């Protein structure tokens, strides 16, 4: 239990105090994402490295690390802009050592959710991963009886706030108050964190030690906004037509989340334009079922608070109050502008956004009748990597069992959708992906691991439309999934279904869905994208104009790399293109390729020129 609050400016002194109080056997719980007390954690890590008798077991999720460029071209793009894009963020030494393979045996790290793609192929991280729904992670943590929790805190006078990480910490503190857990709670003040009132507020007597030193304070990790492609916008438009006025909304981070939010804003502000776009869709049967302005408004209940929610609230889409709040959320991670908006928001507006534990946002248990009344007409929107023709969803794991990210709260919200009357779980994914110059379908016949099993199938949305699967037979489900698949892969999926005896032998791809192609998609949305109705960055970006132009080219290079034929075509295209265009010259200068000095630089320059040509042709 906490004693008198000790405020120090020396993280090593706090680390030594923790070692002394625990006897050097430290079971350290760290919150997910931006809420980690990086400076104190690094001081503890240093002590454990210097003294191998100290045992440090770190239990956490979503350890945020700035990307490591894997190629010369990535380094040319990222290195000059690292702080601007990702924040001047203090890296966590345990993660750096885990990546390098230099973490000593007396330090153990286990996570229940990964920063997407970061730990692929890392044996220690993959072996230490704990598969758990977000709401179950609390119990997995409590079963290990952590004796230290270190949290990044916001401060306002003599009050402290967990800010964007009420997620599990609030419930751990409640368990400590009941005498079920006993741990040291250490805090680290960070002025970049917005003070979020409510369930995450702390008094000084709940803390054991506090680091408060301007010299150790760092910028929060920023997630750069990715451009919203035509496929993302199409998905957003389809989803916006599934959200009833007066309902409840959950969305996540990323380009599809931004597309959903921007489409809902378009529907609210310009319903006629929204209707005109949807009526010209080349994919039949997907004109918005829900349309028009939000007269009542939506209520947000989400595990992750993202900028899309702030923009929806600003636009008047999210405004339905529940217990005095228009949004209840469990944690947040986003971009510089998101944190700034929360910090500078008038207090009365910030009070409308209540950070809560995920035991509140992600499940119905506890005051269930009130939650059911509040969460009517809920639409829980989550992204996936792949889906099977039978409606299973793959969001976190590869065919070989490598964990890409984690289950997180996705299953929680799907489960809620089935438990609530009139609620729906909406899974979004692009129909295809490209790697090593080869295009593959994200709708597959089967997959050895599923995040959401097929008996929880509900609504799946791709750029080609909406597959409503709930309560439908297997044959109906398969045909609905084929109808939203890319047409290049529909025949193979249909043949697999016939071979398995799951559809009639005379089944055919419906003719209206035989033109599910990128060309049809571009033809449909190109005018709205060109005039800015559907923007590449609906909510702004930290990328410069030159970097924005480069993003498309670098994406093409990444997709083609590994294929000699595809790269040869790009090199040839680059050889034929000139450098008279000032925008192209600016791109080459940004990558320090305006005056190549070696053969490798010349080849890279040609490849970039070819990719810029290809990106311009696709836009």
């Amino acid at each position: 239990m906490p004693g008198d609050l000790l405020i120090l400016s020396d993280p090593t002194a706090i680390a030594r105090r923790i070692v002394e109080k625990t006897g050097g056997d430290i079971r350290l719980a760290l919150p997910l994402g931006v809420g980690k007390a990086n400076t104190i954690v690094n001081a503890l890590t240093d002590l454990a490295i210097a003294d191998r008798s100290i045992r440090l077991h770190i239990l956490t999720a979503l350890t945020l690390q700035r990307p490591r460029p894997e190629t010369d071209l990535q380094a040319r793009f990222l290195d000059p802009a690292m702080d601007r894009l990702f924040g001047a963020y203090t890296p966590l030494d345990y993660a750096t050592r885990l990546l390098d393979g230099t973490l000593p045996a007396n330090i153990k790290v286990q996570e229940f959710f990964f920063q997407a793609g970061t730990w692929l192929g890392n044996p220690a991280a993959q072996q230490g991963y704990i598969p758990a729904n977000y709401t179950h992670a609390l119990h997995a943590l409590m079963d290990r009886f952590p004796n230290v929790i270190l949290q990044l805190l916001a401060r306002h006078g003599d009050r402290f706030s967990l800010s964007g990480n009420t997620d599990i910490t609030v419930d751990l503190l409640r368990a400590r108050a009941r005498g079920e857990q006993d741990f040291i709670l250490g805090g680290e003040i960070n002025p970049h964190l917005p003070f979020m009132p409510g369930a995450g507020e702390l008094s000084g007597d709940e803390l054991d030690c506090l680091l408060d030193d301007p010299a150790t304070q760092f910028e929060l990790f920023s997630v750069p906004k990715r451009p919203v492609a035509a496929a993302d916008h199409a998905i957003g438009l389809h989803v916006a037509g599934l959200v009833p006025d007066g309902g409840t909304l959950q969305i996540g981070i990323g380009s599809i989340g931004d597309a959903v939010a921007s489409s809902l804003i378009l529907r609210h502000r310009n319903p006629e334009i929204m209707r005109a776009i949807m009526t010209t869709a080349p994919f039949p049967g997907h004109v918005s079922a829900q349309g028009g302005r939000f007269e009542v408004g939506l209520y947000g209940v989400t595990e992750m608070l993202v900028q899309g929610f702030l923009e929806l609230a600003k636009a008047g889409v999210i405004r339905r109050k529940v217990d005095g709040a228009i949004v209840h959320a469990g944690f947040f991670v986003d971009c510089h502008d998101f944190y700034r908006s929360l910090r500078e928001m008038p207090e009365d507006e910030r009070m409308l956004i209540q950070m809560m534990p995920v035991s509140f946002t992600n499940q119905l248990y506890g005051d269930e009748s009130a939650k059911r009344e509040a969460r009517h007409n809920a639409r829980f929107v989550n992204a996936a990597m792949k889906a099977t023709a039978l409606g299973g969803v793959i969001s976190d794991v590869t065919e070989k069992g490598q964990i890409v990210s984690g289950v997180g709260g996705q299953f929680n919200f799907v489960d809620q959708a089935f438990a609530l009357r009139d609620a729906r779980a909406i899974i979004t994914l692009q129909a295809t992906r490209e790697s090593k110059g080869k295009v593959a379908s994200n709708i597959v016949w089967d997959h050895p691991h599923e995040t959401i099993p097929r008996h929880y199938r509900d609504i799946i949305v791709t750029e080609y439309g909406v597959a409503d699967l709930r309560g439908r037979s297997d044959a109906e489900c398969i045909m609905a999934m084929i109808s939203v698949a890319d047409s290049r892969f529909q025949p193979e999926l249909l043949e697999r279904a016939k071979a398995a005896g799951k559809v009639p032998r005379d089944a055919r791809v419906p003719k209206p869905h035989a033109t599910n192609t990128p060309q049809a998609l571009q033809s449909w949305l190109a005018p709205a994208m060109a005039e800015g109705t559907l923007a590449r960055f609906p909510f702004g970006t930290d990328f410069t104009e030159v970097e924005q132009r480069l993003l498309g080219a670098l994406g093409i290079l990444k997709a083609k790399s590994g294929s000699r034929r595809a790269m040869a075509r790009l090199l040839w295209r680059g050889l034929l293109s000139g450098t008279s265009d000032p925008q192209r010259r600016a791109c080459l200068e940004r990558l320090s390729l305006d005056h190549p000095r070696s053969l490798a630089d010349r080849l890279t320059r040609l490849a970039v020129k070819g990719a810029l040509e290809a990106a311009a042709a696709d836009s």
Side-chain angles (χ1 to χ4, degrees):
M1 297 295 291
D4 295 331
L5 174 60
L6 180 66
I7 301 178
L8 297 171
S9 60
D10 181 3
T12 302
I14 293 178
R16 288 190 179 122
R17 177 183 172 90
I18 290 170
V19 171
E20 179 185 348
K21 283 202 162 191
T22 59
D25 186 4
I26 304 163
R27 299 180 300 281
L28 172 61
L30 298 176
L32 173 150
V34 296
K36 295 176 175 61
N38 292 22
T39 311
I40 306 176
V41 175
N42 285 347
L44 262 181
T45 304
D46 288 343
L47 291 182
I49 290 169
D51 182 354
R52 301 302 171 91
S53 69
I54 297 173
R55 294 181 297 279
L56 177 58
H57 183 186
I58 299 172
L59 299 152
T60 188
L62 194 58
T63 295
L64 298 168
Q65 292 289 90
R66 303 200 308 183
R68 285 185 172 185
E70 296 178 357
T71 65
D72 172 68
L73 190 56
Q74 288 180 8
R76 289 171 184 269
F77 182 77
L78 288 174
D79 286 348
M82 196 69 80
D83 285 354
R84 171 164 51 82
L85 294 177
F86 299 96
Y89 178 75
T90 296
L92 286 153
D93 290 345
Y94 74 77
T96 301
R97 287 179 171 272
L98 197 59
L99 280 167
D100 293 339
T102 60
L103 195 69
N106 62 317
I107 302 177
K108 180 181 179 181
V109 181
Q110 290 188 286
E111 297 197 63
F112 70 86
F113 197 94
F114 289 158
Q115 185 176 356
T118 299
W119 301 105
L120 287 171
N122 186 291
Q126 292 289 327
Q127 292 166 25
Y129 171 75
I130 300 171
N133 292 329
Y134 205 169
T135 54
H136 298 162
L138 169 67
H139 305 293
L141 188 59
M142 290 176 63
D143 288 345
R144 290 166 170 81
F145 292 98
N147 55 11
V148 181
I149 297 176
L150 295 175
Q151 183 109 14
L152 208 63
L153 301 175
R155 185 173 191 169
H156 182 68
D158 61 352
R159 299 290 297 172
F160 304 94
S161 168
L162 299 173
S163 189
N165 280 96
T166 48
D167 45 300
I168 291 179
T169 306
V170 167
D171 281 331
L172 283 171
L173 289 169
R174 291 171 178 171
R176 185 175 71 173
R178 295 192 300 267
E180 298 170 4
Q181 298 281 311
D182 186 18
F183 49 78
I184 298 166
L185 177 61
E188 179 174 337
I189 298 299
N190 189 296
H192 299 285
L193 273 180
F195 189 97
M196 303 301 292
E201 286 191 64
L202 300 174
S203 59
D205 59 10
E206 293 178 89
L207 291 157
D208 179 82
C209 51
L210 185 69
L211 176 66
D212 190 3
D213 181 10
T216 66
Q217 292 164 357
F218 52 88
E219 288 186 0
L220 302 179
F221 186 91
S222 179
V223 182
K225 293 292 183 188
R226 300 295 301 176
V228 179
D232 301 324
H233 274 304
I235 291 169
L237 290 165
H238 294 312
V239 171
L242 300 172
V243 180
D245 187 17
T248 303
L249 181 68
Q250 179 250 332
I251 56 175
I253 199 168
S255 58
I256 291 180
D258 287 349
V260 171
S262 63
S263 290
L264 288 167
I265 292 170
L266 176 64
R267 169 184 155 184
H268 180 62
R269 289 177 171 168
N270 299 289
E272 300 82 7
I273 294 176
M274 174 83 167
R275 197 170 294 111
I277 292 173
M278 295 308 295
T279 53
T280 60
F283 320 117
H286 306 312
V287 175
S288 296
Q290 306 285 340
R293 293 182 173 86
F294 290 91
E295 303 297 339
V296 178
L298 304 177
Y299 157 62
V301 60
T302 181
E303 85 176 21
M304 188 175 192
L305 180 69
V306 294
Q307 190 173 14
F309 276 104
L310 303 188
E311 300 294 338
L312 285 164
K314 190 187 303 181
V317 175
I318 288 186
R319 66 177 186 274
R320 181 169 72 85
K321 290 185 180 180
V322 172
D323 296 329
I326 58 174
V327 177
H328 286 112
F331 76 96
F332 58 63
V333 179
D334 211 296
C335 63
H336 295 294
D337 188 55
F338 170 84
Y339 304 130
R340 187 183 308 112
S341 295
L342 281 176
R343 287 196 306 269
E344 297 176 357
M345 190 177 289
E347 189 173 351
D348 58 338
E349 291 183 24
R350 203 180 322 127
M351 286 289 293
L352 297 175
I353 301 170
Q354 293 286 317
M355 303 304 295
M356 302 290 286
V358 292
S359 58
F360 176 88
T361 58
N362 289 30
Q363 65 185 15
L364 298 177
Y365 308 127
D367 202 9
E368 184 171 336
S369 60
K371 288 182 180 180
R372 286 183 176 277
E373 182 179 355
R375 299 177 190 186
H376 58 80
N377 276 324
R379 297 296 181 266
F380 302 121
V381 186
N382 290 277
M385 301 187 307
K386 297 180 182 180
T388 72
L390 285 166
V393 173
I394 304 94
S395 302
D396 68 317
V397 62
T398 69
E399 292 182 358
K400 295 182 179 180
Q402 287 281 303
I403 305 301
V404 178
S405 53
V407 178
Q410 186 171 113
F411 186 89
N412 293 149
F413 285 103
V414 172
D415 191 43
Q416 276 194 74
F418 279 85
L420 289 165
R421 189 172 65 87
D422 297 328
R424 303 301 300 268
I426 301 172
I427 299 294
T428 63
L429 74 160
Q430 289 193 7
T432 63
R433 66 190 183 283
E434 185 175 3
S435 178
K436 298 182 179 180
K438 183 178 180 182
V439 178
S441 177
N442 286 330
I443 296 177
V444 296
W445 175 247
D446 55 11
H447 196 276
H449 314 286
E450 292 182 351
T451 312
I452 309 297
R454 65 187 183 279
H455 54 273
Y456 271 91
R457 63 195 184 203
D458 198 350
I459 293 176
I460 292 180
V461 179
T462 75
E463 60 266 41
Y464 300 122
V466 178
D468 189 340
L469 310 177
R470 186 185 288 196
R472 302 181 75 175
S473 69
D474 278 359
E476 291 171 328
C477 170
I478 290 167
M479 295 309 296
M481 289 298 291
I482 288 174
S483 293
V484 297
D486 189 287
S487 289
R488 289 168 288 183
F489 303 97
Q490 290 172 328
E492 179 185 352
L493 288 168
L494 187 59
E495 287 307 309
R496 292 290 300 272
K498 289 179 180 180
K502 299 297 290 187
V503 297
R505 293 300 305 175
D506 61 352
R508 298 288 184 270
V509 175
K511 282 188 177 181
H513 299 283
T515 57
N516 290 357
T517 65
Q519 294 76 21
L521 178 70
Q522 284 293 130
S523 177
W524 171 35
L525 295 184
M529 294 182 72
E531 67 188 17
T533 303
L534 302 176
R536 285 188 78 214
F537 294 95
F539 309 129
T541 178
D542 288 313
F543 292 109
T544 66
E545 289 186 12
V546 172
E547 289 165 351
Q548 291 175 40
R549 285 191 288 272
L550 278 169
L551 284 174
L554 296 180
I556 289 172
L557 281 168
K558 183 179 179 180
K560 306 297 184 186
S561 63
S563 168
R564 291 185 178 181
R565 181 175 297 179
M567 289 302 297
R569 284 197 290 265
L570 283 179
L571 288 169
W572 180 250
R573 194 166 189 169
L575 187 64
L576 296 179
S577 67
T579 55
S580 58
D581 179 14
Q583 293 184 347
R584 188 174 303 147
R585 285 203 309 271
C587 289
L588 295 173
E589 289 171 5
R590 170 62 180 78
L591 298 175
S592 299
L593 289 171
D594 45 332
H595 299 294
R597 297 182 178 180
S598 65
L599 176 60
D601 286 356
R602 292 188 184 95
L603 291 173
T604 301
R605 174 186 166 94
L606 288 176
V608 170
K609 287 174 61 183
L612 286 166
E613 283 278 328
D618 290 343
S619 62

